[in-house]
Coordinates of all heavy atoms in Angstrom, one line a residue:
M1 N -25.0 8.4 -6.2 CA -24.0 9.0 -6.9 C -22.7 9.0 -6.1 O -22.6 9.3 -5.0 CB -24.4 10.5 -7.3 CG -23.4 11.2 -8.2 SD -24.2 12.6 -8.9 CE -22.9 13.8 -8.6
H2 N -21.6 8.6 -6.8 CA -20.3 8.5 -6.1 C -19.6 9.9 -6.1 O -19.7 10.7 -7.0 CB -19.4 7.6 -6.9 CG -19.8 6.2 -6.7 ND1 -20.7 5.5 -7.5 CD2 -19.3 5.2 -5.8 CE1 -20.8 4.3 -7.1 NE2 -20.0 4.1 -6.1
N3 N -18.9 10.1 -5.0 CA -18.0 11.3 -4.9 C -16.8 11.1 -5.7 O -16.1 10.1 -5.6 CB -17.7 11.5 -3.4 CG -16.8 12.7 -3.2 OD1 -16.4 13.4 -4.2 ND2 -16.4 13.0 -2.0
T4 N -16.5 12.0 -6.7 CA -15.4 11.8 -7.6 C -14.3 12.9 -7.3 O -13.3 13.0 -8.0 CB -15.8 12.0 -9.1 OG1 -16.4 13.3 -9.2 CG2 -16.8 10.9 -9.4
E5 N -14.4 13.6 -6.2 CA -13.4 14.6 -5.8 C -12.1 13.9 -5.5 O -12.1 12.8 -4.9 CB -13.9 15.3 -4.6 CG -12.9 16.4 -4.1 CD -13.3 17.0 -2.8 OE1 -14.2 16.5 -2.1 OE2 -12.8 18.1 -2.5
S6 N -11.0 14.4 -6.0 CA -9.7 13.9 -5.6 C -9.0 14.9 -4.7 O -9.1 16.1 -4.9 CB -8.9 13.8 -6.9 OG -9.4 12.8 -7.7
L7 N -8.3 14.4 -3.7 CA -7.6 15.2 -2.8 C -6.1 14.8 -2.7 O -5.8 13.6 -3.0 CB -8.2 15.1 -1.4 CG -9.6 15.5 -1.2 CD1 -10.1 15.2 0.2 CD2 -9.8 17.0 -1.5
V8 N -5.2 15.7 -2.4 CA -3.8 15.3 -2.3 C -3.4 15.7 -0.9 O -3.6 16.8 -0.4 CB -3.0 16.1 -3.3 CG1 -1.5 15.8 -3.2 CG2 -3.4 15.7 -4.7
H9 N -2.7 14.8 -0.2 CA -2.2 15.1 1.1 C -1.1 16.2 1.0 O -0.3 16.2 0.1 CB -1.5 13.8 1.7 CG -2.4 12.8 2.2 ND1 -3.1 13.0 3.4 CD2 -2.8 11.6 1.7 CE1 -3.8 11.9 3.6 NE2 -3.7 11.1 2.6
A10 N -1.1 17.0 2.0 CA -0.1 18.1 2.1 C 1.1 17.5 2.9 O 1.5 18.1 3.9 CB -0.6 19.3 2.7
W11 N 1.6 16.4 2.5 CA 2.7 15.7 3.3 C 4.0 16.4 2.9 O 4.2 17.0 1.9 CB 2.7 14.2 3.0 CG 3.2 13.9 1.7 CD1 2.5 13.8 0.5 CD2 4.6 13.6 1.3 NE1 3.3 13.4 -0.5 CE2 4.6 13.3 0.0 CE3 5.8 13.5 2.1 CZ2 5.8 13.0 -0.7 CZ3 6.9 13.2 1.4 CH2 6.9 12.9 0.0
R12 N 4.9 16.2 3.9 CA 6.3 16.7 3.7 C 7.2 15.9 4.6 O 6.8 15.3 5.5 CB 6.4 18.2 3.9 CG 6.1 18.6 5.3 CD 6.1 20.1 5.5 NE 5.7 20.5 6.8 CZ 6.4 20.4 7.9 NH1 7.6 19.8 7.9 NH2 5.9 20.8 9.1
I13 N 8.5 16.0 4.3 CA 9.5 15.5 5.2 C 10.2 16.6 5.9 O 10.7 17.6 5.2 CB 10.6 14.6 4.4 CG1 9.8 13.5 3.7 CG2 11.7 14.2 5.2 CD1 10.7 12.7 2.7
D14 N 10.2 16.6 7.2 CA 10.8 17.7 7.9 C 12.3 17.8 7.7 O 13.0 16.8 7.4 CB 10.6 17.4 9.4 CG 9.2 17.6 9.9 OD1 8.5 18.4 9.3 OD2 8.8 16.9 10.9
D15 N 12.8 19.0 7.7 CA 14.2 19.3 7.5 C 15.0 18.6 8.5 O 16.1 18.1 8.1 CB 14.5 20.8 7.6 CG 14.0 21.6 6.4 OD1 13.8 21.0 5.3 OD2 13.7 22.8 6.5
R16 N 14.5 18.4 9.7 CA 15.3 17.7 10.7 C 15.6 16.2 10.3 O 16.6 15.6 10.6 CB 14.7 17.7 12.1 CG 13.4 17.0 12.2 CD 12.8 17.1 13.6 NE 11.4 16.8 13.6 CZ 10.9 15.5 13.5 NH1 11.8 14.5 13.5 NH2 9.6 15.3 13.5
E17 N 14.6 15.6 9.6 CA 14.8 14.2 9.1 C 15.9 14.2 8.0 O 16.7 13.3 7.9 CB 13.5 13.6 8.6 CG 13.6 12.2 8.2 CD 14.1 11.3 9.2 OE1 13.9 11.5 10.4 OE2 14.7 10.2 8.9
Y18 N 15.8 15.2 7.1 CA 16.9 15.2 6.1 C 18.2 15.4 6.7 O 19.2 14.7 6.3 CB 16.6 16.4 5.1 CG 15.6 16.1 4.1 CD1 14.5 17.0 3.9 CD2 15.6 15.0 3.2 CE1 13.5 16.8 2.9 CE2 14.7 14.8 2.3 CZ 13.6 15.7 2.1 OH 12.7 15.4 1.2
R19 N 18.3 16.3 7.7 CA 19.6 16.5 8.4 C 20.1 15.2 9.1 O 21.3 14.8 9.0 CB 19.5 17.6 9.4 CG 19.5 19.0 8.8 CD 19.7 20.1 9.8 NE 18.7 20.0 10.9 CZ 17.5 20.6 10.8 NH1 17.1 21.2 9.8 NH2 16.6 20.5 11.8
R20 N 19.2 14.5 9.7 CA 19.5 13.2 10.4 C 20.1 12.2 9.4 O 21.1 11.6 9.7 CB 18.3 12.7 11.1 CG 18.5 11.4 11.9 CD 17.3 11.0 12.7 NE 16.4 10.3 11.8 CZ 16.5 8.9 11.6 NH1 17.5 8.2 12.2 NH2 15.6 8.3 10.8
Q21 N 19.4 12.1 8.2 CA 19.9 11.1 7.2 C 21.3 11.6 6.7 O 22.2 10.8 6.5 CB 19.0 11.0 6.1 CG 17.6 10.4 6.5 CD 17.8 9.0 7.1 OE1 18.6 8.2 6.7 NE2 17.1 8.7 8.2
E22 N 21.5 12.9 6.5 CA 22.7 13.4 6.0 C 23.9 13.2 7.0 O 25.0 12.8 6.6 CB 22.6 14.9 5.6 CG 21.8 15.1 4.4 CD 21.3 16.5 4.2 OE1 21.5 17.4 5.1 OE2 20.8 16.8 3.1
E23 N 23.6 13.3 8.3 CA 24.5 13.1 9.3 C 24.9 11.6 9.4 O 26.0 11.2 9.6 CB 24.0 13.6 10.7 CG 24.0 15.1 10.7 CD 23.3 15.6 12.0 OE1 22.9 14.8 12.9 OE2 23.1 16.8 12.1
R24 N 23.9 10.8 9.3 CA 24.0 9.3 9.4 C 24.8 8.7 8.3 O 25.7 7.9 8.5 CB 22.6 8.7 9.6 CG 22.7 7.2 10.0 CD 21.3 6.7 10.2 NE 21.1 5.6 9.3 CZ 19.9 5.2 8.9 NH1 18.8 5.8 9.3 NH2 19.8 4.1 8.2
R25 N 24.4 9.1 7.1 CA 25.0 8.4 5.9 C 25.9 9.3 5.0 O 26.5 8.8 4.1 CB 24.0 7.6 5.1 CG 23.0 8.5 4.4 CD 22.2 7.7 3.4 NE 21.3 6.8 3.9 CZ 20.0 7.0 4.1 NH1 19.4 8.2 3.8 NH2 19.2 6.1 4.6
G26 N 26.0 10.5 5.4 CA 26.8 11.5 4.6 C 26.1 12.0 3.4 O 26.8 12.8 2.6
R27 N 24.9 11.7 3.1 CA 24.1 12.2 2.0 C 22.7 12.1 2.3 O 22.3 11.4 3.2 CB 24.5 11.5 0.7 CG 24.2 10.0 0.7 CD 24.6 9.3 -0.6 NE 24.2 8.0 -0.6 CZ 25.0 7.0 -0.2 NH1 26.1 7.2 0.3 NH2 24.5 5.7 -0.3
R28 N 21.9 12.8 1.6 CA 20.4 12.9 1.9 C 19.7 11.6 1.5 O 18.9 11.1 2.3 CB 19.8 14.0 1.1 CG 18.3 14.2 1.3 CD 17.7 15.4 0.7 NE 18.2 16.5 1.5 CZ 17.6 17.7 1.5 NH1 16.5 17.9 0.7 NH2 18.0 18.7 2.3
F29 N 20.0 11.0 0.4 CA 19.3 9.8 -0.1 C 20.1 8.6 0.1 O 21.3 8.6 -0.1 CB 18.8 10.0 -1.5 CG 18.0 11.3 -1.7 CD1 18.5 12.4 -2.3 CD2 16.7 11.3 -1.2 CE1 17.8 13.5 -2.5 CE2 16.0 12.5 -1.4 CZ 16.5 13.6 -2.0
A30 N 19.4 7.4 0.3 CA 20.1 6.2 0.5 C 20.8 5.7 -0.8 O 21.9 5.2 -0.7 CB 19.1 5.1 1.0
Y31 N 20.1 5.9 -1.9 CA 20.7 5.5 -3.2 C 20.9 6.7 -4.1 O 20.0 7.5 -4.2 CB 19.7 4.5 -3.8 CG 19.5 3.2 -3.0 CD1 18.4 3.1 -2.2 CD2 20.5 2.2 -3.0 CE1 18.2 2.0 -1.4 CE2 20.3 1.1 -2.2 CZ 19.2 1.0 -1.4 OH 19.0 -0.1 -0.6
T32 N 22.0 6.7 -4.7 CA 22.3 7.8 -5.6 C 21.9 7.5 -7.0 O 21.8 8.4 -7.9 CB 23.8 8.2 -5.6 OG1 24.6 7.1 -5.9 CG2 24.2 8.7 -4.2
S33 N 21.7 6.2 -7.3 CA 21.3 5.8 -8.6 C 20.7 4.4 -8.5 O 20.7 3.8 -7.4 CB 22.5 5.7 -9.6 OG 23.4 4.7 -9.2
F34 N 20.0 3.9 -9.5 CA 19.4 2.6 -9.5 C 19.4 2.1 -11.0 O 19.5 2.8 -11.9 CB 18.1 2.5 -8.9 CG 17.0 3.3 -9.7 CD1 16.2 2.6 -10.6 CD2 16.8 4.7 -9.5 CE1 15.2 3.3 -11.3 CE2 15.9 5.3 -10.2 CZ 15.0 4.7 -11.1
E35 N 19.4 0.8 -11.1 CA 19.3 0.1 -12.4 C 17.9 -0.3 -12.7 O 17.3 -1.2 -12.0 CB 20.2 -1.2 -12.3 CG 20.2 -2.0 -13.6 CD 20.7 -1.2 -14.8 OE1 21.7 -0.4 -14.7 OE2 20.0 -1.3 -15.9
P36 N 17.2 0.4 -13.6 CA 15.8 0.2 -13.9 C 15.4 -1.3 -14.1 O 14.4 -1.7 -13.7 CB 15.5 1.1 -15.1 CG 16.5 2.1 -15.0 CD 17.8 1.5 -14.5
T37 N 16.3 -2.0 -14.8 CA 15.9 -3.4 -15.1 C 16.0 -4.3 -13.9 O 15.5 -5.4 -14.0 CB 16.8 -3.9 -16.2 OG1 18.2 -3.8 -15.8 CG2 16.7 -3.2 -17.5
R38 N 16.6 -3.8 -12.8 CA 16.6 -4.6 -11.6 C 15.7 -3.9 -10.5 O 15.9 -4.2 -9.3 CB 18.0 -4.6 -11.1 CG 18.9 -5.4 -12.0 CD 20.4 -5.4 -11.5 NE 20.5 -5.6 -10.1 CZ 20.9 -6.7 -9.5 NH1 21.2 -7.8 -10.3 NH2 21.0 -6.8 -8.2
T39 N 14.8 -3.1 -10.9 CA 13.9 -2.3 -10.0 C 12.5 -2.7 -10.2 O 12.0 -2.9 -11.4 CB 14.1 -0.8 -10.3 OG1 15.5 -0.5 -10.1 CG2 13.3 0.0 -9.3
A40 N 11.7 -2.7 -9.1 CA 10.3 -2.9 -9.2 C 9.6 -1.9 -8.4 O 10.0 -1.5 -7.3 CB 9.9 -4.3 -8.7
L41 N 8.5 -1.4 -8.9 CA 7.5 -0.5 -8.2 C 6.4 -1.4 -7.8 O 5.7 -2.0 -8.6 CB 7.0 0.6 -9.1 CG 5.9 1.4 -8.6 CD1 6.4 2.2 -7.3 CD2 5.4 2.4 -9.6
V42 N 6.2 -1.6 -6.5 CA 5.1 -2.4 -5.9 C 4.0 -1.5 -5.5 O 4.2 -0.7 -4.6 CB 5.6 -3.3 -4.8 CG1 4.5 -4.1 -4.2 CG2 6.8 -4.2 -5.3
V43 N 2.9 -1.6 -6.1 CA 1.7 -0.7 -5.8 C 0.8 -1.6 -4.9 O 0.3 -2.6 -5.3 CB 1.0 -0.3 -7.0 CG1 -0.2 0.6 -6.7 CG2 2.0 0.5 -8.0
V44 N 0.5 -1.1 -3.7 CA -0.3 -1.8 -2.7 C -1.6 -1.1 -2.4 O -1.6 0.2 -2.3 CB 0.5 -1.9 -1.4 CG1 -0.3 -2.7 -0.3 CG2 1.8 -2.7 -1.7
D45 N -2.7 -1.8 -2.4 CA -4.0 -1.3 -2.0 C -4.6 -0.3 -2.9 O -5.4 0.5 -2.4 CB -4.0 -0.8 -0.5 CG -4.0 -1.9 0.5 OD1 -4.3 -3.0 0.1 OD2 -3.7 -1.6 1.7
M46 N -4.3 -0.3 -4.1 CA -4.9 0.7 -5.1 C -5.9 -0.1 -5.9 O -5.9 0.0 -7.1 CB -3.8 1.3 -5.9 CG -2.8 2.2 -5.2 SD -3.6 3.5 -4.1 CE -4.3 4.6 -5.4
V47 N -6.8 -0.8 -5.2 CA -7.8 -1.6 -5.9 C -9.1 -0.7 -6.0 O -9.2 0.3 -5.3 CB -8.1 -2.9 -5.1 CG1 -7.0 -3.8 -5.2 CG2 -8.5 -2.6 -3.7
P48 N -9.9 -0.9 -7.0 CA -11.0 0.0 -7.3 C -11.9 0.3 -6.1 O -12.2 1.5 -5.9 CB -11.8 -0.8 -8.4 CG -10.7 -1.6 -9.1 CD -9.8 -2.0 -8.0
F49 N -12.3 -0.7 -5.3 CA -13.2 -0.3 -4.2 C -12.6 0.6 -3.2 O -13.2 1.4 -2.6 CB -13.8 -1.6 -3.5 CG -12.8 -2.3 -2.6 CD1 -12.6 -1.9 -1.3 CD2 -12.0 -3.3 -3.1 CE1 -11.7 -2.6 -0.5 CE2 -11.1 -4.0 -2.3 CZ -11.0 -3.6 -1.0
F50 N -11.2 0.5 -3.0 CA -10.5 1.4 -2.1 C -10.4 2.8 -2.7 O -10.7 3.8 -2.1 CB -9.2 0.8 -1.7 CG -8.4 1.7 -0.9 CD1 -8.7 1.8 0.5 CD2 -7.3 2.4 -1.4 CE1 -7.9 2.7 1.3 CE2 -6.5 3.2 -0.5 CZ -6.9 3.4 0.8
V51 N -10.0 2.8 -4.0 CA -9.8 4.1 -4.6 C -11.1 4.9 -4.8 O -11.2 6.1 -4.5 CB -9.1 3.9 -6.0 CG1 -9.0 5.2 -6.8 CG2 -7.7 3.4 -5.8
D52 N -12.1 4.2 -5.2 CA -13.4 4.8 -5.4 C -14.0 5.4 -4.1 O -14.6 6.5 -4.1 CB -14.5 3.8 -5.9 CG -14.2 3.3 -7.3 OD1 -13.4 4.0 -8.0 OD2 -14.8 2.3 -7.7
A53 N -13.6 4.8 -3.0 CA -14.2 5.3 -1.7 C -13.3 6.3 -1.0 O -13.6 6.9 0.1 CB -14.4 4.1 -0.7
N54 N -12.1 6.6 -1.6 CA -11.1 7.5 -0.9 C -10.6 8.6 -1.8 O -9.8 8.3 -2.7 CB -10.0 6.6 -0.4 CG -9.0 7.3 0.5 OD1 -8.7 8.4 0.3 ND2 -8.5 6.6 1.5
P55 N -11.0 9.8 -1.5 CA -10.5 10.9 -2.4 C -9.0 11.1 -2.3 O -8.4 11.5 -3.3 CB -11.2 12.1 -1.9 CG -11.7 11.8 -0.5 CD -11.9 10.3 -0.5
Y56 N -8.3 10.7 -1.2 CA -6.9 10.8 -1.2 C -6.2 9.8 -2.0 O -5.2 10.0 -2.7 CB -6.4 10.7 0.3 CG -6.7 11.9 1.1 CD1 -7.7 11.9 2.0 CD2 -6.0 13.1 0.9 CE1 -8.0 13.0 2.8 CE2 -6.3 14.3 1.6 CZ -7.3 14.2 2.6 OH -7.6 15.3 3.3
A57 N -6.8 8.6 -2.1 CA -6.3 7.6 -3.0 C -6.4 8.0 -4.4 O -5.5 7.9 -5.2 CB -7.0 6.2 -2.8
R58 N -7.6 8.6 -4.8 CA -7.7 9.1 -6.2 C -6.7 10.2 -6.5 O -6.3 10.3 -7.6 CB -9.2 9.6 -6.4 CG -10.2 8.5 -6.5 CD -11.5 9.0 -7.0 NE -12.1 10.0 -6.1 CZ -12.8 9.7 -5.0 NH1 -13.0 8.5 -4.6 NH2 -13.3 10.7 -4.2
G59 N -6.4 11.0 -5.5 CA -5.4 12.0 -5.7 C -4.0 11.6 -6.0 O -3.2 12.4 -6.6
I60 N -3.6 10.4 -5.6 CA -2.3 9.9 -5.9 C -2.2 9.0 -7.1 O -1.1 8.7 -7.6 CB -1.6 9.2 -4.7 CG1 -2.4 7.9 -4.3 CG2 -1.5 10.1 -3.5 CD1 -1.7 7.1 -3.3
V61 N -3.3 8.6 -7.7 CA -3.3 7.8 -8.8 C -2.5 8.4 -10.0 O -1.7 7.6 -10.6 CB -4.7 7.4 -9.3 CG1 -4.7 6.8 -10.7 CG2 -5.4 6.5 -8.3
P62 N -2.6 9.7 -10.3 CA -1.8 10.2 -11.4 C -0.3 10.1 -11.2 O 0.5 9.8 -12.1 CB -2.2 11.7 -11.5 CG -3.6 11.7 -10.9 CD -3.6 10.7 -9.8
N63 N 0.1 10.3 -9.9 CA 1.6 10.1 -9.6 C 2.0 8.7 -9.7 O 3.1 8.4 -10.3 CB 1.9 10.6 -8.2 CG 1.7 12.1 -8.1 OD1 1.9 12.8 -9.0 ND2 1.3 12.6 -6.9
I64 N 1.2 7.7 -9.3 CA 1.6 6.3 -9.4 C 1.6 6.0 -10.9 O 2.6 5.3 -11.3 CB 0.5 5.4 -8.7 CG1 0.6 5.7 -7.2 CG2 0.7 4.0 -9.0 CD1 -0.5 5.0 -6.4
Q65 N 0.7 6.4 -11.7 CA 0.7 6.1 -13.1 C 1.9 6.7 -13.8 O 2.5 6.0 -14.6 CB -0.6 6.7 -13.8 CG -0.7 6.2 -15.2 CD -0.9 4.7 -15.3 OE1 -1.8 4.2 -14.7 NE2 -0.1 4.1 -16.1
H66 N 2.3 7.9 -13.4 CA 3.5 8.5 -14.0 C 4.8 7.7 -13.7 O 5.6 7.4 -14.5 CB 3.7 9.9 -13.5 CG 4.9 10.6 -14.0 ND1 5.0 11.1 -15.3 CD2 6.1 10.9 -13.3 CE1 6.2 11.6 -15.4 NE2 6.9 11.5 -14.3
L67 N 4.9 7.3 -12.4 CA 6.1 6.5 -12.0 C 6.1 5.2 -12.7 O 7.1 4.7 -13.2 CB 6.0 6.3 -10.5 CG 6.4 7.5 -9.6 CD1 6.1 7.1 -8.1 CD2 7.8 7.8 -9.8
A68 N 4.9 4.5 -12.8 CA 4.8 3.2 -13.4 C 5.1 3.3 -14.9 O 5.9 2.5 -15.4 CB 3.4 2.7 -13.3
D69 N 4.6 4.3 -15.6 CA 4.9 4.5 -17.0 C 6.4 4.7 -17.3 O 7.0 4.1 -18.2 CB 4.2 5.7 -17.6 CG 2.7 5.5 -17.7 OD1 2.2 4.3 -17.6 OD2 1.9 6.5 -17.8
R70 N 7.0 5.6 -16.4 CA 8.5 5.8 -16.6 C 9.3 4.6 -16.3 O 10.3 4.3 -17.0 CB 8.9 7.0 -15.7 CG 8.2 8.3 -16.0 CD 8.7 8.9 -17.3 NE 10.1 9.1 -17.4 CZ 10.8 10.2 -17.0 NH1 10.1 11.3 -16.6 NH2 12.1 10.3 -17.2
L71 N 9.0 3.9 -15.3 CA 9.7 2.7 -14.9 C 9.6 1.6 -16.0 O 10.6 1.0 -16.4 CB 9.3 2.1 -13.5 CG 10.2 1.0 -13.0 CD1 11.7 1.3 -12.9 CD2 9.7 0.5 -11.7
R72 N 8.4 1.4 -16.4 CA 8.2 0.4 -17.5 C 9.0 0.8 -18.8 O 9.6 -0.1 -19.4 CB 6.7 0.3 -17.9 CG 5.9 -0.5 -16.9 CD 4.5 -0.7 -17.5 NE 3.6 -1.3 -16.5 CZ 2.6 -0.7 -15.9 NH1 2.4 0.6 -16.1 NH2 1.9 -1.3 -15.0
A73 N 9.0 2.0 -19.1 CA 9.7 2.5 -20.3 C 11.2 2.3 -20.2 O 11.9 2.1 -21.2 CB 9.4 4.0 -20.6
A74 N 11.7 2.3 -18.9 CA 13.1 2.1 -18.7 C 13.5 0.6 -18.5 O 14.6 0.3 -18.2 CB 13.5 2.9 -17.5
G75 N 12.5 -0.2 -18.6 CA 12.7 -1.7 -18.5 C 12.5 -2.3 -17.1 O 12.8 -3.4 -16.8
G76 N 11.9 -1.5 -16.2 CA 11.6 -2.0 -14.9 C 10.2 -2.7 -14.8 O 9.5 -2.8 -15.8
T77 N 9.9 -3.2 -13.6 CA 8.7 -4.0 -13.4 C 7.8 -3.2 -12.5 O 8.2 -2.6 -11.5 CB 9.1 -5.3 -12.8 OG1 10.0 -6.0 -13.6 CG2 7.9 -6.2 -12.5
V78 N 6.5 -3.3 -12.8 CA 5.5 -2.7 -11.9 C 4.5 -3.9 -11.5 O 4.0 -4.6 -12.3 CB 4.7 -1.6 -12.6 CG1 3.5 -1.1 -11.7 CG2 5.6 -0.5 -13.1
A79 N 4.3 -4.0 -10.2 CA 3.5 -5.1 -9.7 C 2.5 -4.5 -8.7 O 2.7 -3.5 -8.0 CB 4.3 -6.1 -8.9

């Protein structure tokens, strides 16, 4: 029987990293906007044998699916 538990990493970006980026470029994020039709979401290593064996991978699948759905709806590409 396969383990079907899903886990989510408790990852975060330290405040010091946000401050460093703000000091370096004058704002928190590198891009303030993007053109969906010129944007691609590249999904790497989310193949069934990897996802099936890794509860953390299963935990991020809903987020990847949400991003992919939204980008496709806006005219972007998912690979």
Side-chain angles (χ1 to χ4, degrees):
M1 185 163 132
H2 287 87
N3 179 0
T4 59
E5 178 183 18
S6 294
L7 299 174
V8 177
H9 283 285
W11 72 274
R12 62 182 174 75
I13 298 173
D14 288 329
D15 287 337
R16 66 181 165 76
E17 183 59 27
Y18 282 126
R19 284 191 306 275
R20 186 176 79 85
Q21 295 303 320
E22 289 164 351
E23 290 169 6
R24 189 173 124 203
R25 67 169 67 100
R27 61 182 184 270
R28 180 171 286 200
F29 303 107
Y31 300 97
T32 57
S33 64
F34 65 95
E35 178 59 42
T37 58
R38 295 175 43 102
T39 300
L41 171 64
V42 179
V43 182
V44 178
D45 283 345
M46 296 305 291
V47 293
F49 76 87
F50 177 74
V51 174
D52 289 345
N54 188 323
Y56 288 106
R58 285 191 300 278
I60 64 171
V61 168
N63 291 332
I64 293 170
Q65 188 63 55
H66 177 73
L67 288 169
D69 290 346
R70 296 290 302 269
L71 184 59
R72 282 187 188 110
T77 300
V78 178

